[in-house]
Amino acid sequence: MASTSIMSFGVSPFSAMRPRFRVQAQNLDGPVIPTNTVLPSESDSAVTAINGVSSSSSLVLDTKHEKNDSFIVEKNKENGKLIVEEKRKGNDADDAMVLEPLWDDGYGTQTVEDYFAAAKEIINGDGGPPRWFCPVECGSPLKNSPTLLFLPGLDGTGFGLTLHHKALGKAFEVRCLHIPVLDRTPFEGLVKLVEEAIKVEYALAPNKPIYLVGDSFGGCLALAVAARNPTIDLVLILVNPATSFGRSQLQPLFPILEALPNELHVTVPFLLSFVMGEPMKMASVSIENSLPPAKKLEQLSSNLTALLPCLPELANIMPKETLIWKLKLIKTAAAYANSRLHAVKAEVLVLASGKDNMLPSKDEAQRLARSIQNCRVRNFKDSGHTLLLEDGIGLLTIIRGTCMYRLSRRHDLVRDYIPISMNEFKTAMDIVGLLRFLTGSVVFSTLEDGKIVQGLDGVPVEGPVIYVGYHMLLGVDLPSLVEEFITQKGIVLRGISHPELFEGRRENASSEFGVFDWMKIFGSVPVSGSYLFKLLKNNSHILLYPGGQREALHYKGEEYKVIWPDHPEFVRMAARFGATIVPFGTVGEDDIADIVLDFNDLAKIPYFIEYVRELQRGSVKFRDEISGEVASRDIAPPLILPKLPGRFYYLFGKPISTKGMENMLKDREAANKLYLKIKSEVENNMGYLLKKRQEDPYRNFIDRRLYQTLYPRSESDQTPTFKI
């Protein structure tokens, strides 16, 4: 084999500094360069190794961590094709690593101060060509994780994902592009560098997607690469892409920069920092939402004070000549990318900030959604241009919530699922905090001997389990139910949801990260026999509402009426895997609202029926018309009048094991008999709760709040309820 260089990611290239990133070079025909050796930027061998391109036109790139599989990739001189050769095997212990619910994603442990510290470190003596590095904080990813390449914005440091390194490092092989301060590589050169990297990754794993996260200028770079490589499976995450640079609010100021004396340039990056980002949100990253307001304000003030001394470092990251060069580079990049949008076949997600003072990002997101074939948008109305460095939702959370995370060409919500992290759980519970506070939920379960107890002691720990119940109005029973299972049992309920929540038909370019996205984070999957099969095979805990949207959007007078299909859609599947079925009932103060106008009332309004039919046209149909009242498509959200809610009650009945009932696969009568028994148990559970709640001295919110004031307890302690 010809003399070739390997680029892997093992140690810091700056031995005298605390390592924040790892780069390692090796010559296949010569000795390994020691891992503690500094690679001088002026060295030819270092240049070719870091770039991943050798002088002999052979390309070798070890993109896996040391404990994972390594490969040698060689470019054939005659036809330019990449040849992949496996070099060594991985470590089985690493491959077996899994994430448990409420895992630590590290969000909030790194701040903007860490970004500036890392940037200062990497630009010290910065020279040489653009190069890739892997941040140390990323650690080792899960088995078969795809590769994520980060393409930086105006700063070029490659540390724009500092706040997200720990979380992304679990789900991806993370590589970040660093463009040195003194580098003047033209845009076409940067496109070829990224293009070469994705071709190597594609040669290593042709069935895996490759993620390109482009921040501002990096968004243009990602689009350009995607347009030139339509056959490679790429997923683009564009964060305030600079494709709108020609319409930037700062265009009139750019010519002034060239005439500005060098002595005054130190003020330019300082001013830009306030234009590009929201200082308050940057300083809020590490502040817990649960803190008292006074404590929050104190910590925010402290963080802002610590952040201000870091801002002058921008003058070193972007000296005058570099800033002027990069502004011209962005202009070229925007023109290049915009002229090729029609050729982009990749899956694209645009993240747009509502308070971007540098670019019209919100309007640009709408334009890109119209111009790119497979493009989705999420807006963040309170964020500035530097969205990834501000307080908010983690990037991995956004990717998963929009169903953009996958391990292969085909998306599988069971195989690709990553359990909810502790930070995500806290954030979601804060969003529904008012509902939880007002409803004061109480959960009961039934032991094997038939005894009812408060809590979830009667719920099976081992899967597969299907929890089958009644769906309250608008599905408001879900947050408290999901919370109880996670906090009491450490169990994530995989909800079976309407398929249209995953189709994106209701999305538009103004969509924000909302409730439906959070449902996917919590593990919801669309209704289908294949997904139910996969979940059961995976020993999951499944939450199923046979009544579906018909029950959740019921008519007047149908409170606590169980509206299920005529045929057992899940019983025979459960019997095939010997799953346990747990029927449960839910009661919640007459659905917390009065229905003013239901579908039957709304249907009398002129053109309403036509409007509903238009919405339903092309929608996913997953039930047979003969399967009962639940199959009715005469469904629309009712007009409701909210009222002060009482208390939510949940009762899980005695678990029903289907082990040894394989006969139900062929005996429809036996399956239907069990189905009716389960339905009856749900109705009985609700009847029990409706009766017993009359005995609850703290059913009323005011009484419950008074008790909590007189007898303050920890958050885990619950206000008493009726005696069982």
Side-chain angles (χ1 to χ4, degrees):
M1 182 179 290
S3 176
T4 326
S5 299
I6 284 184
M7 180 182 79
S8 68
F9 304 86
V11 297
S12 170
F14 305 100
S15 59
M17 303 176 184
R18 180 170 65 87
R20 294 175 183 272
F21 39 85
R22 302 174 288 194
V23 179
Q24 180 181 10
Q26 175 182 345
N27 189 299
L28 293 183
D29 291 342
V32 176
I33 300 174
T35 56
N36 61 350
T37 299
V38 177
L39 300 179
S41 59
E42 59 272 11
S43 165
D44 288 340
S45 61
V47 169
T48 55
I50 291 173
N51 273 324
V53 183
S54 73
S55 58
S56 64
S57 297
S58 292
L59 178 76
V60 176
L61 178 60
D62 174 6
T63 57
K64 307 295 179 187
H65 287 298
E66 292 85 342
K67 294 182 180 180
N68 290 344
D69 289 348
S70 266
F71 297 86
I72 297 175
V73 183
E74 183 179 1
K75 182 182 285 185
N76 188 298
K77 293 183 180 180
E78 295 181 4
N79 57 26
K81 292 184 177 179
L82 296 174
I83 303 172
V84 183
E85 177 184 340
E86 187 172 359
K87 186 182 176 190
R88 58 186 168 87
K89 296 293 182 182
N91 187 312
D92 291 338
D94 246 20
D95 287 348
M97 182 176 63
V98 295
L99 291 176
E100 298 293 334
L102 304 184
W103 59 282
D104 181 13
D105 64 8
Y107 189 77
T109 58
Q110 299 286 303
T111 66
V112 181
E113 292 178 64
D114 294 290
Y115 160 80
F116 280 110
K120 182 178 181 180
E121 183 177 303
I122 200 170
I123 67 171
N124 187 15
D126 203 10
R131 50 193 177 266
W132 300 98
F133 69 90
C134 175
V136 170
E137 296 88 355
C138 288
S140 298
L142 298 170
K143 180 183 179 182
N144 296 324
S145 296
T147 296
L148 182 149
L149 303 179
F150 175 64
L151 311 179
L154 192 65
D155 64 315
T157 63
F159 281 100
L161 293 178
T162 295
L163 275 58
H164 313 272
H165 282 162
K166 291 183 178 180
L168 290 174
K170 295 294 185 184
F172 296 99
E173 293 270 4
V174 180
R175 310 283 178 264
C176 302
L177 178 63
H178 171 62
I179 305 174
V181 173
L182 302 178
D183 178 72
R184 298 296 181 263
T185 302
F187 182 69
E188 291 80 0
L190 294 174
V191 170
K192 290 180 180 178
L193 185 145
V194 178
E195 192 173 56
E196 201 70 41
I198 68 166
K199 286 181 177 178
V200 168
E201 291 294 337
Y202 179 70
L204 293 174
N207 294 321
K208 285 185 184 181
I210 301 169
Y211 286 74
L212 298 180
V213 177
D215 184 13
S216 189
F217 164 73
C220 297
L221 189 53
L223 285 169
V225 171
R228 288 163 56 104
N229 298 272
T231 60
I232 296 180
D233 185 12
L234 297 176
V235 180
L236 273 54
I237 314 296
L238 310 179
V239 186
N240 296 322
T243 45
S244 62
F245 184 72
R247 307 193 309 278
S248 171
Q249 298 92 314
L250 302 182
Q251 278 287 347
L253 300 179
F254 294 147
I256 301 176
L257 293 176
E258 298 189 40
L260 194 69
N262 291 335
E263 295 78 12
L264 297 178
H265 176 74
V266 68
T267 63
V268 174
F270 187 83
L271 295 173
L272 276 179
S273 66
F274 288 94
V275 173
M276 295 173 66
E278 287 287 314
M280 295 289 285
K281 287 186 73 68
M282 287 183 175
S284 300
V285 171
S286 60
I287 301 178
E288 287 279 349
N289 288 330
S290 58
L291 291 177
K295 191 69 176 177
K296 277 188 179 180
L297 187 61
E298 179 185 343
Q299 195 167 337
L300 179 63
S301 175
S302 175
N303 290 356
L304 278 172
T305 303
L307 179 61
L308 290 175
C310 299
L311 298 182
E313 187 60 35
L314 286 170
N316 296 323
I317 296 173
M318 292 182 289
K320 179 181 177 181
E321 294 77 11
T322 299
L323 181 58
I324 293 173
W325 163 259
K326 288 191 174 180
L327 291 174
K328 293 178 180 178
L329 192 65
I330 293 178
K331 185 177 181 180
T332 301
Y336 188 102
N338 283 322
S339 66
R340 292 163 174 80
L341 292 180
H342 64 280
V344 176
K345 306 301 179 186
E347 193 177 357
V348 180
L349 173 64
V350 180
L351 309 182
S353 295
K355 293 184 179 179
D356 189 342
N357 296 318
M358 184 173 180
L359 299 171
S361 294
K362 187 175 181 179
D363 294 339
E364 181 64 5
Q366 296 180 9
R367 185 183 76 89
L368 291 176
R370 294 191 300 267
S371 304
I372 299 175
Q373 181 179 353
N374 186 11
C375 181
R376 308 173 74 178
V377 174
R378 287 296 181 273
N379 287 279
F380 299 85
K381 62 180 181 179
D382 297 322
S383 297
H385 184 70
T386 53
L387 174 63
L388 296 176
L389 290 175
E390 298 176 10
D391 184 39
I393 302 173
L395 182 58
L396 180 61
T397 304
I398 296 170
I399 293 173
R400 288 160 49 225
T402 51
C403 285
M404 301 288 279
Y405 183 74
R406 51 190 172 88
L407 301 177
S408 65
R409 285 185 176 273
R410 187 170 182 178
H411 200 176
D412 187 322
L413 292 172
V414 176
R415 180 198 59 210
D416 301 338
Y417 180 65
I418 295 177
I420 188 168
S421 70
M422 176 60 81
N423 177 70
E424 291 168 340
F425 178 71
K426 289 181 178 178
T427 302
M429 290 302 105
D430 286 341
I431 293 173
V432 295
L434 179 60
L435 177 65
R436 294 164 54 235
F437 174 71
L438 292 174
T439 56
S441 302
V442 189
V443 179
F444 303 92
S445 60
T446 308
L447 302 178
E448 287 290 339
D449 59 4
K451 181 182 178 181
I452 297 176
V453 295
Q454 187 170 346
L456 292 172
D457 290 342
V459 168
V461 176
E462 299 296 328
V465 182
I466 304 180
Y467 302 93
V468 187
Y470 166 77
H471 216 359
M472 282 210 302
L473 182 66
L474 302 179
V476 291
D477 49 320
L478 281 172
S480 296
L481 183 60
V482 170
E483 178 192 15
E484 293 293 340
F485 268 84
I486 290 180
T487 55
Q488 289 193 39
K489 307 289 284 188
I491 292 174
V492 175
L493 293 178
R494 304 298 304 271
I496 305 294
S497 306
H498 196 285
E500 294 212 2
L501 301 184
F502 301 83
E503 294 294 320
R505 293 179 66 250
R506 301 286 185 256
E507 292 181 10
N508 55 56
S510 300
S511 297
E512 297 184 9
F513 196 89
V515 174
F516 294 157
D517 297 315
W518 279 109
M519 288 176 64
K520 297 160 194 172
I521 293 295
F522 276 87
S524 288
V525 300
V527 170
S528 75
S530 61
Y531 271 126
L532 183 58
F533 179 92
K534 291 176 182 178
L535 288 172
L536 289 168
K537 186 177 180 180
N538 206 42
N539 292 327
S540 301
H541 288 250
I542 304 163
L543 179 61
L544 177 64
Y545 294 106
Q549 64 174 353
R550 174 62 181 86
E551 214 168 55
L553 302 177
H554 59 247
Y555 304 158
K556 290 179 181 177
E558 291 184 338
E559 293 84 2
Y560 307 121
K561 177 183 177 182
V562 177
I563 307 172
W564 285 12
D566 291 339
H567 302 289
E569 299 177 347
F570 62 89
V571 171
R572 291 195 297 155
M573 187 78 78
R576 177 171 182 172
F577 290 91
T580 301
I581 299 175
V582 181
F584 71 94
T586 308
V587 169
E589 196 65 27
D590 299 327
D591 292 337
I592 75 169
D594 291 322
I595 299 178
V596 179
L597 297 175
D598 63 13
F599 179 88
N600 295 323
D601 298 319
L602 295 171
K604 299 174 184 177
I605 301 174
Y607 305 111
F608 176 79
I609 288 293
E610 288 76 7
Y611 173 72
V612 172
R613 295 291 181 262
E614 182 63 30
L615 288 178
Q616 293 175 345
R617 190 171 291 117
S619 63
V620 180
K621 180 182 174 183
F622 57 94
R623 292 191 191 271
D624 195 315
E625 291 293 345
I626 65 170
S627 62
E629 187 180 357
V630 73
S632 172
R633 294 169 68 81
D634 291 337
I635 301 172
L639 180 63
I640 62 173
L641 182 64
K643 59 185 179 182
L644 189 65
R647 198 170 195 178
F648 284 4
Y649 303 86
Y650 304 84
L651 172 57
F652 290 85
K654 186 176 178 180
I656 302 171
S657 175
T658 63
K659 287 183 179 179
M661 297 184 181
E662 291 82 1
N663 64 306
M664 290 188 185
L665 297 174
K666 296 181 179 180
D667 189 345
R668 291 182 176 273
E669 185 177 343
N672 192 58
K673 184 177 180 181
L674 178 58
Y675 177 72
L676 293 177
K677 177 184 176 182
I678 294 168
K679 182 179 179 181
S680 177
E681 284 294 319
V682 171
E683 292 171 333
N684 291 339
N685 289 340
M686 287 195 295
Y688 175 85
L689 292 175
L690 287 170
K691 179 181 178 181
K692 293 295 290 185
R693 73 174 180 177
Q694 304 294 335
E695 304 171 13
D696 187 353
Y698 304 106
R699 173 184 170 188
N700 184 278
F701 169 75
I702 297 175
D703 293 334
R704 199 162 58 250
R705 189 70 188 113
L706 182 61
Y707 176 89
Q708 293 166 352
T709 303
L710 294 175
Y711 305 99
R713 298 185 175 195
S714 66
E715 202 170 308
S716 59
D717 291 331
Q718 202 168 47
T719 304
T721 184
F722 57 77
K723 294 182 180 180
I724 303 172

